[in-house]
């Protein structure tokens, strides 16, 4: 999620060597991008609509990026390079902003920032993956209670995905599904590397997104880490990719993309098609590669806020969300201060592909360019933000400021819309 700085080269020959390597990686990246495959998540016949609530007007909060040390909404939108911002409370749309600045999010074929645009959401996809797994477990095994889910989650990945234990066995074969969802699989993985190159994440893009191999075969190359550290958290795209393989095995013979379209995407009344990148077997890529409209991301956020309920229908059992997002687990989900994925400015915890702020009840999905589906259960509010942070450029500071801004938006939403929180209405 966070990018590392580059080394400084003091000799011309080293600089030229680095440039050649960089060019080689870029060529590989271009070939990779050209070969990717995506599946359409079709919108349902009937779409839902948000109620129209009292519009949020004035939002101010303490910040350290202006001379006055106070930020209003406009200052935040500019500093955080926000392309789209949506706030929903009690199923009422209170704020919908799409930046007129053509310099924000310009990379997607010149598309304007409008409500009908489909945005790539990077690692926000992981939180969708987690929710789909809960739905798959409920569908395949009839899980309804916390005990039902925990029984399945204690099982090793090899129980669901065949041939992971074929010599030499993948480390995932014996890892409990519960630990993979917390990114504590202890499987050797380097998400970052040098500017993203020479990392396992880049190799995943070249091999899996380039359709050279499927996720399962890619995962078979990975072994357990050697270190015996108490802080086992290691942010890993492969952990999330393995979870989609598990979920797809559970919903077979359906594909996970069809399962999403006919299940959650239909239930929330999505207004538009979405798309999801797949591997060479057609299995959805769990850590990334999902595109959707900001409004439909807000609908998904409301679905999670309401613990899987839409109107009178319980689509995913409530117990799943109690495990995935609401459980008070003490220090079990804490990330050590010195962990490279911790943000010391606003300390975070991680559980089931959701980020949580220590000492707060809210939780959020986060993507590397500043994408958020931020859920505030205490006030019944969802904030969706799409930004353009250039692969986490100054991301840690922007992330903390974003949390401050979202808190201020929630306060303003509560003030503007004083209605008790209820479950969202059925699709209209």
């Amino acid at each position: 999620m966070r990018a590392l700085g580059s080394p400084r080269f003091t000799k011309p020959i080293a600089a030229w060597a680095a440039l050649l390597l960089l060019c080689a990686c870029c060529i590989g990246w271009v070939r990779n991008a050209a070969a990717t495959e995506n599946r359409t998540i079709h919108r349902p016949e009937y779409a839902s609509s948000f109620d129209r609530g009292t519009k949020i007007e004035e939002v101010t909060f303490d910040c350290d990026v202006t001379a006055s040390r106070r930020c209003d909404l406009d200052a935040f939108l500019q500093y955080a390079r926000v392309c789209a911002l949506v706030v929903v409370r009690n199923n009422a749309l209170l704020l919908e902003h799409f930046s007129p600045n053509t310099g924000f999010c310009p990379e997607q074929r010149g598309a304007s920032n409008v409500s009908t645009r489909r945005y790539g959401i990077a690692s926000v996809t992981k939180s969708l993956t987690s929710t789909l797994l809960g739905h798959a477990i409920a569908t395949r095994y009839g899980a309804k209670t916390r005990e039902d889910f925990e029984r399945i989650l204690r099982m090793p990945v090899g129980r669901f995905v065949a041939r992971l234990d074929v010599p030499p066995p993948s480390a995932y074969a014996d890892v409990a599904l519960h630990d993979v969802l917390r990114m504590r699989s202890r499987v050797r993985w380097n998400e970052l590397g040098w500017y993203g190159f020479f990392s396992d994440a880049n190799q995943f893009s070249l091999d899996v997104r380039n359709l050279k191999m499927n996720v399962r075969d890619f995962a078979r190359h990975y072994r357990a880490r050697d270190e015996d550290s108490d802080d086992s958290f290691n942010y890993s795209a492969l952990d999330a990719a393995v979870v989609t393989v598990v979920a797809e095995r559970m919903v077979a013979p359906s594909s996970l993309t069809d399962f999403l379209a006919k299940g959650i995407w239909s239930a929330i009344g999505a207004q538009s098609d979405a798309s999801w990148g797949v591997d060479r077997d057609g299995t959805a890529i769990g850590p990334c590669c999902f595109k959707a409209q900001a409004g439909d991301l807000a609908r998904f956020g409301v679905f999670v806020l309401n613990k899987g309920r839409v109107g009178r229908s319980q689509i995913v059992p409530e117990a799943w969300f109690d495990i995935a997002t609401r459980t008070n687990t003490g220090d079990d989900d804490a990330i050590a201060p010195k962990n490279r994925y911790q943000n010391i400015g606003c300390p975070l915890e991680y559980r089931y592909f959701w980020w949580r702020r220590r000492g707060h009840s809210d939780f959020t999905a986060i993507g590397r360019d500043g994408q958020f589906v931020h859920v505030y259960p205490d006030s019944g509010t969802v904030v969706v933000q799409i930004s353009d942070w250039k692969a986490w450029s100054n991301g840690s500071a922007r992330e903390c400021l974003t949390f401050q801004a979202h808190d201020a938006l929630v306060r303003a939403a509560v003030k503007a819309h004083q209605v008790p929180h209820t479950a969202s209405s059925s699709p209209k």
Side-chain angles (χ1 to χ4, degrees), residues 64-123:
D64 56 4
V65 298
T66 65
S68 66
R69 304 188 72 80
R70 290 286 293 175
C71 283
D72 59 15
L73 188 56
D74 287 340
F76 167 70
L77 295 172
Q78 290 300 311
Y79 180 81
R81 298 178 59 85
V82 176
C83 312
L85 185 66
V86 177
V87 180
V88 176
R89 181 169 186 260
N90 298 333
N91 206 51
L93 181 63
L94 305 186
L95 177 67
E96 189 176 40
H97 167 84
F98 295 93
S99 176
N101 189 331
T102 57
F104 293 172
C105 299
E107 68 277 6
Q108 298 179 11
R109 299 180 181 177
S112 301
N113 293 309
V114 293
S115 62
T116 55
R117 177 175 175 178
R118 288 191 297 179
Y119 290 95
I121 58 172
S123 290

Side-chain angles (χ1 to χ4, degrees), residues 337-356:
K338 293 184 179 180
N339 191 299
R340 68 197 307 194
Y341 302 106
Q342 179 59 281
N343 189 338
I344 59 174
C346 42
L348 300 170
E349 301 174 346
Y350 195 83
R351 181 176 181 83
Y352 283 42
F353 301 166
W354 292 95
W355 296 91
R356 304 188 308 189

Side-chain angles (χ1 to χ4, degrees), residues 356-414:
R356 304 188 308 189
R357 292 188 291 166
R358 172 151 287 199
H360 295 255
S361 62
D362 54 289
F363 53 93
T364 183
I366 303 177
R368 70 179 226 155
D369 288 306
Q371 302 98 333
F372 295 80
V373 176
H374 199 163
V375 180
Y376 286 80
D378 291 350
S379 65
T381 308
V382 172
V383 181
V384 171
Q385 178 177 321
I386 308 294
S387 313
D388 185 6
W389 292 359
K390 306 299 183 187
W392 209 251
S393 175
N394 198 28
S396 293
R398 284 183 168 136
E399 182 178 55
C400 294
L401 182 69
T402 294
F403 291 151
Q404 293 175 265
H406 289 184
D407 289 348
L409 285 166
V410 169
R411 291 192 296 269
V414 171

Side-chain angles (χ1 to χ4, degrees), residues 322-344:
D322 289 334
I323 295 171
T325 66
R326 304 300 214 286
T327 305
N328 182 3
T329 56
D331 291 332
D332 288 352
D333 298 317
I335 303 172
K338 293 184 179 180
N339 191 299
R340 68 197 307 194
Y341 302 106
Q342 179 59 281
N343 189 338
I344 59 174

Side-chain angles (χ1 to χ4, degrees), residues 123-336:
S123 290
V124 167
T125 307
K126 295 180 175 70
S127 303
L128 175 63
T129 292
S130 167
T131 308
L132 273 173
L133 178 69
H135 194 194
I137 292 174
T139 302
R140 173 66 177 83
Y141 298 100
K144 294 181 180 180
T145 68
R146 182 188 186 95
E147 292 73 21
D148 292 339
F149 282 109
E150 288 179 341
R151 176 176 57 85
I152 304 301
L153 293 167
R154 285 193 295 268
M155 295 180 183
V157 171
R159 176 77 174 267
F160 308 98
V161 183
R163 297 185 61 81
L164 281 179
D165 57 352
V166 173
S170 166
Y172 282 104
D174 296 323
V175 179
L177 192 52
H178 166 75
D179 291 327
V180 179
L181 284 161
R182 297 169 61 244
M183 290 202 179
R184 289 164 172 84
S185 65
R186 293 190 180 272
V187 174
R188 188 185 302 276
W189 179 266
N190 177 17
E191 184 80 11
L192 300 174
W194 178 68
Y195 267 93
F197 299 116
F198 317 117
S199 67
D200 292 306
N202 188 57
Q203 194 62 47
F204 180 91
S205 293
L206 294 173
D207 288 345
V208 177
R209 287 294 278 150
N210 202 33
L211 306 180
K212 292 181 180 179
M213 63 176 66
N214 59 34
V215 170
R216 185 197 66 180
D217 290 343
F218 185 84
R220 288 188 62 233
H221 295 291
Y222 283 81
R223 308 288 176 258
R225 301 202 312 267
D226 296 329
E227 64 266 26
D228 185 21
S229 170
D230 290 336
D231 179 31
S232 59
F233 178 78
N234 183 46
Y235 193 75
S236 169
L238 188 55
D239 281 5
V242 166
V243 166
T244 46
V245 177
V246 171
E248 180 136 315
R249 298 299 189 272
M250 290 180 180
V251 302
S254 177
S255 68
L256 195 61
T257 50
D258 285 344
F259 182 71
L260 169 61
K262 296 173 183 178
I264 293 173
W265 208 244
S266 176
I268 66 175
Q271 289 204 336
S272 176
D273 292 348
S275 67
W276 201 348
V278 296
D279 70 6
R280 66 183 299 171
D281 289 347
T283 301
I285 297 178
C288 70
C289 315
F290 193 85
K291 288 186 177 182
Q293 291 183 2
D296 286 337
L297 295 173
R299 289 176 178 83
F300 169 67
V302 170
F303 177 80
V304 176
L305 170 72
N306 290 326
K307 297 186 177 183
R309 178 176 288 275
V310 179
R312 296 181 180 179
S313 300
Q314 190 73 47
I315 309 303
V316 179
E318 182 176 324
W320 173 259
F321 300 95
D322 289 334
I323 295 171
T325 66
R326 304 300 214 286
T327 305
N328 182 3
T329 56
D331 291 332
D332 288 352
D333 298 317
I335 303 172

